Amino acid sequence: MAIGSASSGFRMRRIPSLDGLRALSIVLVLYGHLRGTRNFSVHSLTVAGDYANVGVRIFFVISGFLITTLLLNENTRTGKINLRAFYVRRAFRILPAAYVYMLCAVAFNWRQLSGADIAIAFSYVTNWSLHPPWILGHLWSLSVEEQFYLLWPGLLALWFRRGRRFVLFAIACGPVVRAALWLLKIPDAADSYFPAVADALATGALLAMLQPELRRLDRVIRSSWFLAVPALTLLLPLLDQHYRFYQTIGLTMLHVGIALSIQHVVVRPYSILNGRFVVWLGVISYSLYLWQQPFLDRHSAAIWSTFPINIILVFVCAVVSHHAVERPFLQAREQWRFFESRSRDGTVLPAD
């Protein structure tokens, strides 16, 4: 994914370290799901599953930050937000790889799936289903992202000056909603219902909106001492045993810590997050996330769910998905951007 600078011709550039952070996120998810699969029983690391969820939340904060940065840049450049162009770009980016995965999942598991399971997955509302089938269960996070894409750009386009109020309200509501779900005895919903997890995306959006203020703190954020923030952030999931605190204030602290960590590694890029292999891992992270589910199933005794065969198959499928589906559609999106821009005012539309 890329953002543009407001220069002549709208030259595109990548934000440093974001692909590296995506790589970290997908490694946390893969490790958390590997735990317990055949030949990979790591009983001593009991918090591994919690860190899989942390990996997803890092994805959420990054997404909120990147999408809002693109929208703010577009508004600065053109004085408005082109919702049609935004949704077309996101469709090219997200839908093809996801629907190819869904079609394959249904084709190979149709006997175990109900019509409702399939309809819920294809309509991107898996996050509202408390007990989705394993093969489609991970689509809850994609559903959350799509619901964010549907709501946030429109709100920002209509009430741009109130953008900070919206995200602050979402952040404040997050722990309240999670506490309410716990009191209603549906705690599982706190990990997937949109109002309960939207604060992670809102925190990323707020990070993008606070860039003018954060530039004044650039010296502090660049400091080596600031590494204490990501270090402490990674310790927060250990509080999961104190369920009520972690699900309310603890997750809010986690999101803020992730956002501050993003700011640190963006303004002070580290080679470990920007090396060739790590960046490649981040680039294919979307396909890795899609295709890890069939093979990293700790409840399956099948050969394809056995380590290391399972992780090899995950990477094989992800690489095929990235090169055969993602990249062709991203190239098609670039062609669409070019012709769409030429047909309007000659200004190149942003990519994301």
Side-chain angles (χ1 to χ4, degrees), residues 112-123:
Q112 292 79 42
L113 299 174
S114 68
D117 292 331
I118 298 169
I120 286 170
F122 275 77
S123 57

Side-chain angles (χ1 to χ4, degrees), residues 1 14-26 59 62 93 273-275 277-285:
M1 297 183 184
R14 286 185 178 275
I15 300 179
S17 305
L18 283 196
D19 282 324
L21 288 173
R22 290 191 187 95
L24 171 63
S25 302
I26 196 61
F59 276 125
I62 291 174
R93 177 69 183 93
L273 290 176
N274 294 279
F277 174 75
V278 173
V279 168
W280 173 80
L281 198 60
V283 168
I284 69 165
S285 60

Side-chain angles (χ1 to χ4, degrees), residues 117-347:
D117 292 331
I118 298 169
I120 286 170
F122 275 77
S123 57
Y124 277 89
V125 290
T126 303
N127 62 311
W128 295 98
S129 174
L130 290 179
H131 303 290
W134 174 260
I135 196 71
L136 299 173
H138 63 317
L139 300 177
W140 75 269
S141 61
L142 274 65
S143 301
V144 169
E145 295 248 7
E146 286 300 306
Q147 289 155 32
F148 169 72
Y149 298 150
L150 285 173
L151 290 171
W152 177 230
L155 288 173
L156 202 56
L158 289 172
W159 297 288
F160 187 83
R161 295 183 181 276
R162 299 180 184 178
R164 292 193 187 188
R165 296 181 187 178
F166 288 134
V167 294
L168 287 170
F169 179 76
I171 292 168
C173 284
V176 176
V177 171
R178 290 190 290 270
L181 292 171
W182 183 83
L183 291 173
L184 292 171
K185 301 188 185 302
I186 44 175
D188 290 346
D191 285 329
S192 62
Y193 279 12
F194 182 77
V197 295
D199 56 329
L201 291 146
T203 303
L206 183 62
L207 176 66
M209 303 183 92
L210 287 177
Q211 288 304 302
E213 289 85 350
L214 290 173
R215 289 191 193 103
R216 301 171 193 165
L217 302 173
D218 198 55
R219 186 174 178 180
V220 174
I221 294 171
R222 286 176 179 270
S223 168
S224 298
W225 291 101
F226 205 82
L227 278 172
V229 173
L232 291 172
T233 300
L234 287 174
L235 292 177
L236 282 171
L238 299 177
L239 296 172
D240 186 51
Q241 57 185 316
H242 305 291
Y243 184 81
R244 298 185 196 181
F245 175 81
Y246 183 68
Q247 282 293 319
T248 52
I249 304 301
L251 282 176
T252 301
M253 294 168 60
L254 178 72
H255 301 152
V256 172
I258 292 170
L260 291 173
S261 301
I262 290 171
Q263 185 70 15
H264 176 69
V265 300
V266 166
V267 300
R268 182 176 175 168
Y270 290 91
S271 58
I272 192 171
L273 290 176
N274 294 279
R276 182 175 299 179
F277 174 75
V278 173
V279 168
W280 173 80
L281 198 60
V283 168
I284 69 165
S285 60
Y286 180 46
S287 283
L288 280 171
Y289 184 78
L290 285 171
W291 284 94
Q292 50 84 31
Q293 198 79 354
F295 308 107
L296 306 188
D297 183 358
R298 66 176 59 93
H299 304 295
S300 172
I303 186 67
W304 56 81
S305 296
T306 302
F307 183 80
I309 295 172
N310 55 2
I311 195 66
I312 293 171
L313 290 173
V314 169
F315 272 87
V316 169
C317 290
V319 170
V320 171
S321 171
H322 178 73
H323 287 278
V325 184
E326 282 192 76
R327 289 185 65 174
F329 276 94
L330 288 176
Q331 290 167 1
R333 184 183 69 175
E334 292 306 301
Q335 294 175 350
W336 172 83
R337 286 177 58 242
F338 175 77
F339 288 112
E340 179 77 4
S341 301
R342 289 287 295 272
S343 67
R344 289 176 177 272
D345 58 5
T347 302

